[in-house]
Structure formats: structure tokens, C-alpha cells
Amino acid sequence: MTPATRQKVLGLYRKIFQIAKKWQSASGGTEETLKEKEYIRNEAKTLFRKNKNVTDPKLIKQCIEECEARIEIGLHYNIPYPRPIHLPPLGLAHKQGRTLRHQEKLRKISKPIYLKSHDEVS
């Protein structure tokens, strides 16, 4: 990891904890705000620890982009949790064969960047 990349990652980590410190839930309830603050902190710790040994520059860049996307979406919608995606079910594909593999590949590609690590952690 280059020093510039390291600084960027540490800056994102600090930014997340600053956001968590100032976070106010959409409902304004104290209990819900505390839950959301705790979720933000725990999610950041889990994902950063999970990716601390990543050395591939391409993968590091992808993780940074995901982090930035999740921060922006969380601040925009005032929801710390990942936004759900709505993909059509695999109703038209046969249970096996090329059509099913093709549709599964398309679903994997169409998954938004901010959800790439969410399924692996939760």
C-alpha cells in the first residue's frame, strides 16, 4: 500500500467515526440514534479489519470506492444501513444450464458497489 493510499484509508476511517459521533437518526429518537451510531462504528471496525491485509491495488481502490459510496448514501438518505437493491427474480431461467448461469452472472454484475461487502459480513 502506498503512503497516499494509506492516508486516504485512514482519513476515511476517521471520517466515519466523526460521522458516527455527530449522527442523528431520521426519527430523532435517542434510543434509535444510539443504535445507529453503534451500528456505524461496528460496521466500520468489521469491514476495515476484514480488509486490513488486502495488498492488491485494484481491490484496495474498489474498497475505497465502496466506502465513499456508503458514506455518501448514508448521509444523503440519513440511513446508516445499506440500501436494498431490487433485482428481478430468476423466474424465467431453467434450474440449470447456460441461461441460469448467465442470469446469475448478470445479477452479480448489477449489484451496486455499496453492497459488495455487505453480504459477506452480515
Side-chain angles (χ1 to χ4, degrees), residues 23-62:
W23 187 262
Q24 206 50 18
S25 72
S27 68
T30 307
E31 187 176 313
E32 192 170 323
T33 298
L34 292 175
K35 275 187 199 175
E36 290 179 2
K37 284 181 176 186
E38 189 63 29
Y39 173 80
I40 292 169
R41 281 190 228 103
N42 289 340
E43 185 79 359
K45 286 178 185 177
T46 303
L47 290 175
F48 276 84
R49 285 180 182 153
K50 180 186 134 221
N51 295 319
K52 75 178 181 179
N53 296 323
V54 175
T55 56
D56 180 27
K58 201 173 193 179
L59 193 55
I60 291 171
K61 184 178 182 225
Q62 188 178 28

Side-chain angles (χ1 to χ4, degrees), residues 81-103:
Y81 312 108
R83 297 194 39 83
I85 56 171
H86 303 288
L87 298 174
L90 297 172
L92 300 177
H94 297 289
K95 298 296 180 205
Q96 56 187 335
R98 287 191 323 197
T99 309
L100 177 64
R101 286 192 304 267
H102 180 68
Q103 282 191 5

Side-chain angles (χ1 to χ4, degrees), residues 10-25 33-42 44 48 67-81:
L10 291 174
L12 285 170
Y13 194 70
R14 273 187 242 109
K15 183 176 182 178
I16 291 170
F17 280 90
Q18 289 170 353
I19 290 169
K21 190 184 289 187
K22 299 175 189 173
W23 187 262
Q24 206 50 18
S25 72
T33 298
L34 292 175
K35 275 187 199 175
E36 290 179 2
K37 284 181 176 186
E38 189 63 29
Y39 173 80
I40 292 169
R41 281 190 228 103
N42 289 340
F48 276 84
C67 182
E68 290 170 340
R70 287 183 71 171
I71 288 171
E72 291 302 316
I73 289 171
L75 292 174
H76 178 76
Y77 292 104
N78 200 28
I79 300 172
Y81 312 108

